Amino acid sequence: MTPLKAPLPAAARGGVSPAVRYASQQSVDSLSEKKVLITLEALKSSSPPPSTHTLAAFSPPIDMARTVYESCARVLSDKVEYEEKERRVVVIGSAEDPDPVKTLAKDELLIEQLVDYCEDPDVKQAWKDGQIKYHRHPKERKAGARPLKVELPNKKLRDLLLDKIRAKPGRPTPLPAPSFIRKDLTPMQLQLEREAREEVKQRNLNAGSLSFGLRDFSIISYRNPRPLPKHYGTTRTATRTAPPSSLSADIPHSGDGSDAALLSDDASTAPSTSGPTPPVTRSSHVNTDRRGAARH
């Protein structure tokens, strides 16, 4: 049964003066319908034409399971490689002997001198126990000046060796120019190093002095800037020269003397721009082991 509508109040029926007119429900509904129609017409005129694309126009679906698996496998592989590199330092620019036996003896002596130079008892004990392995890399390349990779038992000892060498002023006596020592960088870190090297060069050019340097792939600033070397930042020439012997231990050497100075790791003092600049052999990598240690 349909409920009865409530009667209009007396004021709406004109019984009270001045009369008050109330809108009926029918008029309200009519106005609402008109407003809705006007709104719909406005939306219709402003909406874009329907898309003509179909599902076939898009690229075929991707095998998500395979993509996820490959990504995870790559991450795990990179993790293993990164963990290995975290235990290693690399000596760049150390020349090799044509005789592999002599190179092996020379590398062992160099590492022993670096261990003594850092003066850390834990690092010394690891060397004494035969826990420090080393090799020239890569093995398949001819001997020349391949980087010497030195692997310590763990990251803590690696950091102790590197930090205590870097903490001392000047160039370490076991590392004659143009050799230097740094962390073993991943491909991504090497890319960051190249980008940072260019940024350091530009910053020094803008400052008009050697005010910035590079440590591994991080930019550092010198407390005592020095004048820019002659032809600093210009294109490398065919004649390659080594940096001055006063440079510090960790200089990612890039060719000419100015770039080598640019990449000095001594944060306390900018590298010296004076001194002789003998020719340098292009750096490369060899494989060697510490007193019977397993090859890596």
Side-chain angles (χ1 to χ4, degrees):
M1 179 176 180
T2 305
L4 297 175
K5 293 184 178 180
L8 290 173
R13 297 195 299 269
V16 178
S17 183
V20 178
R21 303 287 299 180
Y22 287 92
S24 66
Q25 186 63 41
Q26 182 179 2
S27 63
V28 171
D29 293 341
S30 177
L31 288 173
S32 298
E33 290 174 3
K34 288 181 180 179
K35 186 175 181 180
V36 170
L37 289 174
I38 292 172
T39 304
L40 290 176
E41 287 294 334
L43 290 174
K44 182 179 179 181
S45 61
S46 60
S47 61
S51 175
T52 57
H53 292 296
T54 61
L55 191 59
F58 294 94
S59 58
I62 301 174
D63 186 351
M64 294 300 296
R66 180 175 179 178
T67 302
V68 171
Y69 173 80
E70 291 177 349
S71 300
C72 292
R74 192 180 307 112
V75 168
L76 291 174
S77 176
D78 292 346
K79 180 177 182 291
V80 172
E81 180 187 13
Y82 184 74
E83 288 177 347
E84 292 176 351
K85 288 181 175 294
E86 277 197 323
R87 301 193 299 267
R88 291 198 293 251
V89 296
V90 182
V91 177
I92 305 293
S94 176
E96 300 177 65
D97 193 278
D99 185 353
V101 176
K102 292 182 179 180
T103 295
L104 178 61
K106 177 184 176 182
D107 291 345
E108 182 172 334
L109 178 61
L110 172 61
I111 297 169
E112 186 172 10
Q113 290 173 343
L114 288 172
V115 169
D116 290 338
Y117 184 82
C118 85
E119 297 182 321
D120 183 84
D122 294 333
V123 176
K124 288 184 176 183
Q125 188 62 45
W127 173 254
K128 182 179 179 180
D129 295 342
Q131 296 179 338
I132 299 179
K133 299 180 291 184
Y134 56 95
H135 66 279
R136 293 278 181 162
H137 180 81
K139 297 179 180 180
E140 61 275 7
R141 189 178 297 174
K142 289 183 178 180
R146 292 176 292 176
L148 174 61
K149 293 198 173 188
V150 183
E151 182 176 339
L152 288 92
N154 51 61
K155 181 180 182 296
K156 179 182 178 181
L157 290 179
R158 190 281 305 268
D159 291 343
L160 283 172
L161 173 66
L162 198 57
D163 292 345
K164 293 198 173 184
I165 289 176
R166 287 172 166 173
K168 297 187 178 183
R171 172 178 289 279
T173 51
L175 292 173
S179 59
F180 63 93
I181 188 170
R182 63 162 170 78
K183 295 178 181 178
D184 189 12
L185 304 179
T186 64
M188 177 59 71
Q189 290 170 336
L190 287 171
Q191 177 62 31
L192 293 174
E193 182 197 43
R194 285 189 286 268
E195 294 173 358
R197 183 183 303 134
E198 293 302 316
E199 184 175 348
V200 167
K201 183 186 295 183
Q202 191 58 50
R203 286 192 186 187
N204 284 333
L205 289 173
N206 293 340
S209 62
L210 284 178
S211 302
F212 302 94
L214 191 64
R215 173 176 293 170
D216 297 321
F217 52 90
S218 301
I219 297 175
I220 60 175
S221 58
Y222 299 129
R223 289 196 291 267
N224 301 309
R226 293 181 179 271
L228 289 175
K230 188 178 181 181
H231 307 305
Y232 178 84
T234 57
T235 306
R236 299 176 193 172
T237 59
T239 303
R240 301 173 62 83
T241 56
S245 58
S246 60
L247 293 181
S248 67
D250 191 43
I251 309 166
H253 182 249
S254 61
D256 60 8
S258 62
D259 279 350
L262 153 72
L263 301 172
S264 173
D265 184 52
D266 185 1
S268 61
T269 305
S272 171
T273 58
S274 61
T277 54
V280 61
T281 309
R282 198 174 184 86
S283 295
S284 164
H285 258 193
V286 221
N287 290 304
T288 295
D289 296 273
R290 156 88 172 105
R291 298 173 182 170
R295 289 182 180 271
H296 177 66

